[in-house]
Amino acid sequence: MKRCCIIVAGGQGLRMGGDTPKQFLPLGDKTILMHSICRFHEFDPDMKIIVVLPREHIGEWESQIQKYSFSIEHNVVAGGKERFYSVKAGLEQAENESIIAIHDGVRPFVSQETIKRCFKEAERTGMAIPFVEPNDSVRIQREYDTVSVPRKDVRLIQTPQVFRSELIKGAYQTGYDAMFTDDASVAEAAGHKVNLVPGNRENIKVTRPEDIIIARAIYATNFK
Amino acid sequence: MKRCCIIVAGGQGLRMGGDTPKQFLPLGDKTILMHSICRFHEFDPDMKIIVVLPREHIGEWESQIQKYSFSIEHNVVAGGKERFYSVKAGLEQAENESIIAIHDGVRPFVSQETIKRCFKEAERTGMAIPFVEPNDSVRIQREYDTVSVPRKDVRLIQTPQVFRSELIKGAYQTGYDAMFTDDASVAEAAGHKVNLVPGNRENIKVTRPEDIIIARAIYATNFK
């Protein structure tokens, strides 16, 4: 089956508190976004790779490609204001592929095993969403207080979220909803049961300034 | 105010899948448990430190102390079958201290800022429980399916959980309940409102085999 990966790098870097969008931060010999692209290219060098970026960042991305002599072929698409619109723009470029992975550009440590597991399961059932269980106790904020939730019932959701093409394209025919924090929630709203598979713990989302410390540490130990 | 720290290292290493309980695994020049102890000794060298271990691990701990020439003074107490009983045994040794921190022996990366914040807030209000927000989307398992929870409402709970002595000693007068996954839940069952303060993201709980990879990475970058 022909595979495609949409890598969404729409972040404005606001939560990181700096001027540089977090996907553009260096991590060893590449930027975070380049590492994320490499993971999928490693898995299947024939996979079509679509990178969705805010229009105003495309120039910066092109100069980074020059600077780092980054040679993995990919299409660049201008994204929208919300992640939902960015994925939608990416899906329009996925024309002939039967399985589509949607991945956060700021998850550079997804393992080959996780990618393989997600594609295999999505080919079989239509959808595969990777997760890990938290090691911490979990509480949920209610109106005036927090309540405890059994840790064994909690799933921390990662990407790549992988789907059969017709399923996810159909689901994205809907309008934007603030509840859509990921692609699983869009598929769910279209009536599909969310199918979870194990992810890998190093597959963190580099979101806040402190995450960079952990990301550099994981990179230094595992990828250098 | 006199401070005390109870470090609970009751794990049998079952989730780690090995024979060595995870608190005894090496991390650079010390074991994980020794690093956890050091963080509190660094914060306040006069703080009383009580280490709770399963009775059958005390011999191993003593030989590790010799092997690593570990010199930070501490009391060793034999723990119980559940974390609840281990903390209870530790609390009995905290006699003259007015503020008590309870910390997981397998959280070697708690920051000085987190420890300071927790003690300060517990002195002021009676209780301080550190947390971080997840970067991932979160789903909760229900009977047949999982449901999405807004990420901004989720709190991943860490340690040290710090309390005024009379509050936590009073709360632990109760009987064991399987819902008691941490000390905040014991205090809550006794009618106290759980008071959360920011933790630090590197303060992970080393629980599963994969966590060791991340732990070694954080250690190499931040503590070497």
Side-chain angles (χ1 to χ4, degrees):
Chain A
M1 293 208 219
K2 284 187 77 174
R3 295 166 177 148
C4 168
C5 178
I6 298 170
I7 300 193
V8 188
Q12 303 288 334
L14 299 181
R15 272 198 283 183
M16 291 298 291
D19 277 345
T20 305
K22 53 204 179 302
Q23 60 269 21
F24 291 155
L25 293 175
L27 195 64
D29 61 345
K30 297 187 189 72
T31 65
I32 286 180
L33 176 56
M34 289 172 186
H35 283 292
S36 303
I37 293 172
C38 285
R39 297 289 94 75
F40 288 86
H41 183 72
E42 257 170 77
F43 173 68
D44 177 1
D46 296 327
M47 190 186 300
K48 178 173 181 176
I49 294 174
I50 298 164
V51 175
V52 189
L53 283 162
R55 190 174 299 281
E56 61 272 28
H57 292 167
I58 293 178
E60 167 66 15
W61 175 237
E62 283 168 353
S63 59
Q64 287 202 340
I65 287 174
Q66 296 294 324
K67 184 179 161 193
Y68 288 85
S69 304
F70 185 72
S71 63
I72 296 175
E73 210 180 302
H74 62 279
N75 298 4
V76 173
V77 177
K81 204 176 158 190
E82 302 290 342
R83 186 183 189 284
F84 176 85
Y85 296 111
S86 296
V87 173
K88 205 161 180 162
L91 285 171
E92 283 166 18
Q93 301 293 312
E95 291 163 328
N96 305 308
E97 293 77 18
S98 53
I99 300 283
I100 300 175
I102 304 169
H103 188 64
D104 296 327
V106 290
R107 289 193 192 262
F109 305 125
V110 60
S111 71
Q112 295 301 299
E113 292 73 24
T114 296
I115 297 176
K116 188 177 176 183
R117 199 179 296 126
C118 289
F119 271 99
K120 211 172 155 182
E121 179 73 6
E123 280 172 16
R124 201 175 66 84
T125 66
M127 177 193 322
I129 310 297
F131 78 99
V132 291
E133 280 178 34
N135 288 338
D136 303 304
S137 293
V138 177
R139 303 184 70 87
I140 307 283
Q141 183 72 47
R142 300 281 183 231
E143 200 171 355
Y144 300 108
D145 215 335
T146 57
V147 294
S148 186
V149 184
R151 174 166 47 205
K152 67 169 181 44
D153 293 343
V154 181
R155 310 279 178 264
L156 301 177
I157 303 297
Q158 306 182 331
T159 72
Q161 303 194 346
V162 185
F163 306 88
R164 277 196 207 129
S165 166
E166 68 278 10
L167 187 159
I168 195 64
K169 285 189 171 190
Y172 266 90
Q173 293 305 310
T174 188
Y176 172 69
D177 186 311
M179 285 293 291
F180 294 156
T181 57
D182 63 355
D183 312 296
S185 54
V186 178
E188 186 175 40
H192 301 284
K193 187 177 151 118
V194 173
N195 183 30
L196 302 181
V197 300
N200 62 292
R201 300 193 82 78
E202 317 88 86
N203 184 19
I204 62 164
K205 187 170 182 180
V206 183
T207 310
R208 297 158 204 272
E210 318 87 270
D211 298 330
I212 281 286
I213 299 170
I214 296 182
R216 296 208 166 117
I218 295 173
Y219 176 75
T221 319
N222 298 280
F223 291 87
K224 227 167 173 170
Chain B
M1 292 210 220
K2 284 187 79 176
R3 295 166 177 148
C4 168
C5 177
I6 297 169
I7 300 193
V8 188
Q12 303 289 334
L14 299 180
R15 274 199 283 182
M16 291 298 291
D19 277 345
T20 305
K22 52 205 179 303
Q23 59 269 21
F24 291 154
L25 293 174
L27 195 64
D29 61 344
K30 297 187 188 73
T31 65
I32 287 181
L33 176 55
M34 289 173 188
H35 283 293
S36 303
I37 294 172
C38 284
R39 297 289 95 74
F40 288 86
H41 183 72
E42 256 169 78
F43 173 68
D44 177 1
D46 295 327
M47 192 186 300
K48 179 172 180 177
I49 294 174
I50 297 164
V51 175
V52 189
L53 283 163
R55 190 174 300 279
E56 61 273 27
H57 291 167
I58 293 178
E60 169 66 14
W61 175 237
E62 282 168 356
S63 58
Q64 287 203 339
I65 287 175
Q66 296 294 324
K67 184 178 160 193
Y68 288 85
S69 305
F70 185 71
S71 63
I72 295 175
E73 209 180 305
H74 62 279
N75 298 5
V76 174
V77 177
K81 205 176 159 190
E82 302 290 341
R83 186 184 188 285
F84 176 85
Y85 296 112
S86 296
V87 173
K88 206 162 178 162
L91 285 171
E92 283 166 18
Q93 301 293 314
E95 290 163 329
N96 305 308
E97 292 77 17
S98 52
I99 300 282
I100 299 175
I102 304 169
H103 188 64
D104 295 327
V106 290
R107 290 194 191 261
F109 306 125
V110 59
S111 71
Q112 295 300 301
E113 293 72 25
T114 297
I115 297 176
K116 188 177 175 180
R117 200 179 294 125
C118 289
F119 271 100
K120 211 173 156 183
E121 179 71 6
E123 281 172 17
R124 201 175 66 84
T125 66
M127 176 190 328
I129 312 296
F131 77 99
V132 291
E133 281 178 34
N135 287 338
D136 303 303
S137 293
V138 177
R139 302 184 70 87
I140 306 282
Q141 183 73 46
R142 300 281 183 231
E143 201 169 355
Y144 301 109
D145 216 336
T146 56
V147 294
S148 185
V149 184
R151 174 166 44 209
K152 66 169 182 43
D153 293 341
V154 181
R155 310 278 178 265
L156 302 176
I157 304 297
Q158 307 181 330
T159 72
Q161 303 194 345
V162 185
F163 305 88
R164 276 195 207 131
S165 167
E166 68 278 9
L167 187 159
I168 195 63
K169 286 190 171 189
Y172 266 90
Q173 293 305 311
T174 187
Y176 172 69
D177 185 312
M179 285 294 291
F180 294 155
T181 58
D182 63 356
D183 313 295
S185 54
V186 178
E188 186 175 39
H192 301 284
K193 188 177 152 122
V194 173
N195 183 30
L196 302 181
V197 300
N200 62 292
R201 300 193 82 77
E202 318 88 86
N203 184 20
I204 63 165
K205 187 171 181 179
V206 183
T207 310
R208 297 158 205 273
E210 320 89 91
D211 299 330
I212 281 285
I213 300 170
I214 297 183
R216 295 208 167 116
I218 296 173
Y219 176 75
T221 318
N222 297 281
F223 291 87
K224 227 167 173 168

